[in-house]
Amino acid sequence: MKVIDHINQAKKPLFSFELLPPLKGKGIQAIYEGIDPLVEFNPSFINVTYHREEYAYKKREKGYLEKISIKKRPGTVGICAAIMNKYNVDSVPHIICGGFTKEETENALIDLSFLGIDNVLLLRGDPIKTEPSFVPEEDGHHYAADLVKQVVGLNNGDYMDEDLQNANPTDFCIGVAGYPEKHFESPNLKSDLKYLKQKVDAGADYIVTQLFYDNQKFKDFVTTCRNAGINVPIIPGIKPISNKKQLLSLPKFFHIDLPDDLVDAVDNCKSDEAVKKVGIEWAIEQSKDLIAFGAPCLHYYTMGKSVAVKEIVKAVF
Ligand code: FAD
């Protein structure tokens, strides 16, 4: 079932979560261990992130360095199929522009459609670590909006080969990313919203947000989106803080601010256990307030660790 149908048919706010494919070499059990504790709360859908290749230098004979490309977390599509098969819960693979030509994207979408996966979250992807800014493949997409257009095209039976006759249209429900505190490359929120609207106008069915800790930022974002004519459901992304180091890493990696009260509470903790408790309590309060605000679904970033998210959904749903 499509995410948008889950939302439209829901009688109460929904719960969903995101997980990462395990590091290469680990089995599918690592995924199941992240899902099992949360299944009893009836997630409407489970997202699986996509991780493109990274470059590393390996020392070879005589000190030569060889540049190699490695994908540390492969398996997004296989994991999505396994989730649907084992749990009968809808899965949402993340599809990115980076590293894909348009044809490779088309073929990946065909695979998904054959597997009965009819949801996708479409993203541009971050620049790879060794490049200062995002570089698309020669025949790839620059922006997520272009990827949305390709999927909408395929939903209308428009494949890249113009000579195809009566090609089977796909039927994907499309999610895209939104940033309550703006995307880090964007000069300001207004500009970012202009491009978010492009994704929605191109055919995105709903938006999932970057994680945030100050609900007022989400509420203002929703209001600004509505004023800008962005009327699709907006799903807030929530991630419980679990250790002190995240006071530095979350702003660095996600380009977000942390509220004073949260920083003070974490700073005052004497142990990691205490930080986890603060993180769970903060996320519970966030979740309850977002439901009261009218969020259609709460989407949790588990990062493969579902213990804290279990505590939160137990208290909220
Ligand atoms: P876009 O919507 O393309 O926007 C990128 C930037 O370009 C923005 O600053 C935007 O304002 C600007 N822009 C857009 N269109 C134009 C235009 N026509 N002209 C000029 N500027 C423009 N990354 C992964 O690699 N794998 C994942 O699985 C993954 N999952 C994610 C899930 C969520 C919910 C979120 C919020 C992010 C996720 N990301 C993931 C990270 C994401 O790929 C990065 O944030 C990336 O830098 C931007 O992706 P986007 O789809 O928002 O890009």
Side-chain angles (χ1 to χ4, degrees):
M1 188 166 151
K2 298 190 174 66
V3 169
I4 194 66
D5 294 333
H6 279 291
I7 292 174
N8 288 340
Q9 292 170 21
K11 304 259 182 297
K12 54 187 176 82
L14 304 175
F15 149 61
S16 63
F17 63 94
E18 173 189 295
L19 45 83
L20 278 65
L23 286 167
K24 191 183 266 187
K26 288 197 175 172
I28 188 80
Q29 198 52 35
I31 286 292
Y32 297 155
E33 280 163 14
I35 297 176
D36 285 342
L38 299 175
V39 165
E40 64 177 291
F41 302 101
N42 294 321
S44 298
F45 53 94
I46 301 173
N47 282 49
V48 183
T49 54
Y50 185 88
H51 300 259
R52 63 176 299 185
E53 74 283 1
E54 293 173 28
Y55 291 101
Y57 290 89
K58 290 261 181 200
K59 241 189 189 152
R60 299 294 184 215
E61 277 175 36
K62 296 182 186 163
Y64 287 121
L65 289 178
E66 186 190 354
K67 187 181 177 187
I68 56 156
S69 156
I70 27 171
K71 244 186 199 170
K72 289 188 177 166
R73 294 181 185 272
T76 302
V77 172
I79 292 168
C80 284
I83 289 173
M84 304 228 326
N85 195 28
K86 182 170 163 73
Y87 299 99
N88 202 18
V89 174
D90 289 301
S91 59
V92 185
H94 293 191
I95 305 282
I96 66 170
C97 305
F100 283 83
T101 64
K102 289 174 197 160
E103 200 196 349
E104 286 164 344
T105 299
E106 183 174 279
N107 292 338
L109 291 163
I110 291 169
D111 278 346
L112 292 175
S113 146
F114 287 171
L115 286 165
I117 296 170
D118 53 5
N119 289 291
V120 282
L121 186 73
L122 303 182
L123 305 139
R124 187 197 69 181
D126 280 326
I128 49 177
K129 283 182 190 135
T130 41
E131 282 171 353
S133 56
F134 178 79
V135 182
E137 294 304 293
E138 211 171 291
D139 184 26
H141 295 299
H142 279 71
Y143 296 109
D146 304 321
L147 188 50
V148 174
K149 286 179 197 150
Q150 182 177 11
V151 178
V152 168
L154 216 57
N155 280 350
N156 290 320
D158 296 334
Y159 286 69
M160 292 188 68
D161 181 352
E162 297 154 6
D163 297 333
L164 279 184
Q165 300 281 323
N166 300 319
N168 188 50
T170 55
D171 189 18
F172 288 108
C173 167
I174 300 170
V176 290
Y179 302 82
E181 300 179 55
K182 94 171 181 67
H183 183 257
F184 70 102
E185 291 168 21
S186 204
N188 58 33
L189 191 58
K190 190 176 169 207
S191 161
D192 206 22
L193 280 188
K194 180 172 91 180
Y195 295 121
L196 177 58
K197 187 164 184 324
Q198 277 186 4
K199 295 193 272 193
V200 173
D201 290 347
D205 296 293
Y206 66 96
I207 295 163
V208 186
T209 76
Q210 182 61 283
L211 51 93
F212 60 89
Y213 292 88
D214 178 353
N215 279 2
Q216 194 54 47
K217 298 221 162 120
F218 175 79
K219 294 174 188 176
D220 292 345
F221 176 70
V222 173
T223 306
T224 320
C225 282
R226 300 309 180 221
N227 290 339
I230 298 171
N231 292 315
V232 295
I234 303 179
I235 300 175
I238 302 166
K239 178 188 155 28
I241 281 199
S242 55
N243 60 60
K244 265 192 192 185
K245 280 188 254 164
Q246 288 173 340
L247 290 185
L248 298 177
S249 63
L250 291 169
K252 183 173 167 195
F253 292 123
F254 297 105
H255 309 276
I256 53 163
D257 276 347
L258 300 179
D260 292 346
D261 290 352
L262 178 60
V263 175
D264 292 346
V266 171
D267 259 342
N268 289 335
C269 289
K270 303 271 179 285
S271 67
D272 270 355
E273 275 320 298
V275 178
K276 282 195 182 101
K277 200 159 167 274
V278 166
I280 289 170
E281 278 163 10
W282 189 274
I284 289 173
E285 289 315 307
Q286 257 196 294
S287 302
K288 287 182 176 167
D289 182 53
L290 289 166
I291 287 178
F293 177 68
C297 175
L298 303 186
H299 188 68
Y300 294 92
Y301 296 103
T302 68
M303 310 284 175
K305 297 185 187 102
S306 43
V307 178
V309 173
K310 180 174 178 175
E311 289 303 307
I312 298 158
V313 290
K314 200 159 73 179
V316 175
F317 289 92

